[in-house]
Amino acid sequence: MRVIPLSVTLLAAALTLTACNDGGGATNGKGDSACAIGGVSVQIGSASVAPGAGDTGEVPVSITNQSAPCTLDDFPDVVLVTGGSKVAVPVAQGAKAQKLKLAKGDFASFTISYVRGAAGDGTSLAAKTVEISLPGAKDAESFPWSYGPVAGKGGSDNTPNASVGAFQQSGD
């Protein structure tokens, strides 16, 4: 009878387990693929536009999985882009990320909340586009920002008076 060393058996088992990743994106360490742009469709819905300076608006964003099961495990990255700069939108204060697994056809959503700034005001951000990327993924998708200037919080870091909410499971 032939004896195979334990180290060879363990190596074979480890290689078999690492081959389980479907290549759909980065993994979260548990073998789940992160949802990635290209495997999902991203849509910005009908916004509750802030009508004037100082008013608050909300922009809903929905994610629909178009491919293999994937996971949303953290907050989306949202960046407002002007003609020459990019400014990250912070996570809403007190928001708690939840891990969502999306099968093909499942969808989730999150909201971008913002305070409208005054046009031409030095503290307002005249955003032209918004870039959205998903947690654990590298690619971003750009959308036109047609909701007016975003008020700034002031200070040297040019933080917009806006925030990103957590993903919420949508549908059935």
Side-chain angles (χ1 to χ4, degrees):
M1 180 164 115
R2 192 175 207 195
V3 177
I4 299 174
L6 181 59
S7 59
V8 172
T9 304
L10 290 175
L11 176 62
L15 290 173
T16 301
L17 289 174
T18 59
C20 291
N21 182 9
D22 67 2
T27 62
N28 64 5
K30 297 176 185 159
D32 295 334
S33 292
C35 295
I37 301 294
V40 300
S41 67
V42 180
Q43 295 181 325
I44 292 184
S46 298
S48 169
V49 178
D55 293 331
T56 301
E58 293 186 340
V59 181
V61 180
S62 62
I63 313 296
T64 304
N65 187 9
Q66 302 292 324
S67 61
C70 64
T71 302
L72 296 168
D73 191 9
D74 205 354
F75 290 92
D77 288 325
V78 175
V79 175
L80 295 173
V81 182
T82 65
S85 65
K86 294 183 175 190
V87 180
V89 177
V91 170
Q93 187 173 4
K96 303 247 187 286
Q98 59 178 327
K99 182 176 181 178
L100 299 178
K101 291 187 178 196
L102 300 180
K104 184 174 183 177
D106 285 351
F107 53 100
S109 63
F110 68 92
T111 302
I112 303 168
S113 298
Y114 73 100
V115 175
R116 187 166 183 158
D121 181 1
T123 62
S124 293
L125 181 67
K128 303 287 184 216
T129 59
V130 58
E131 292 180 354
I132 297 170
S133 59
L134 303 177
K138 296 177 185 176
D139 296 332
E141 190 166 346
S142 293
F143 299 90
W145 181 266
S146 57
Y147 315 110
V150 178
K153 288 187 176 180
S156 60
D157 63 354
N158 199 25
T159 302
N161 195 346
S163 62
V164 177
F167 286 107
Q168 301 295 317
Q169 189 82 43
S170 300
D172 303 345

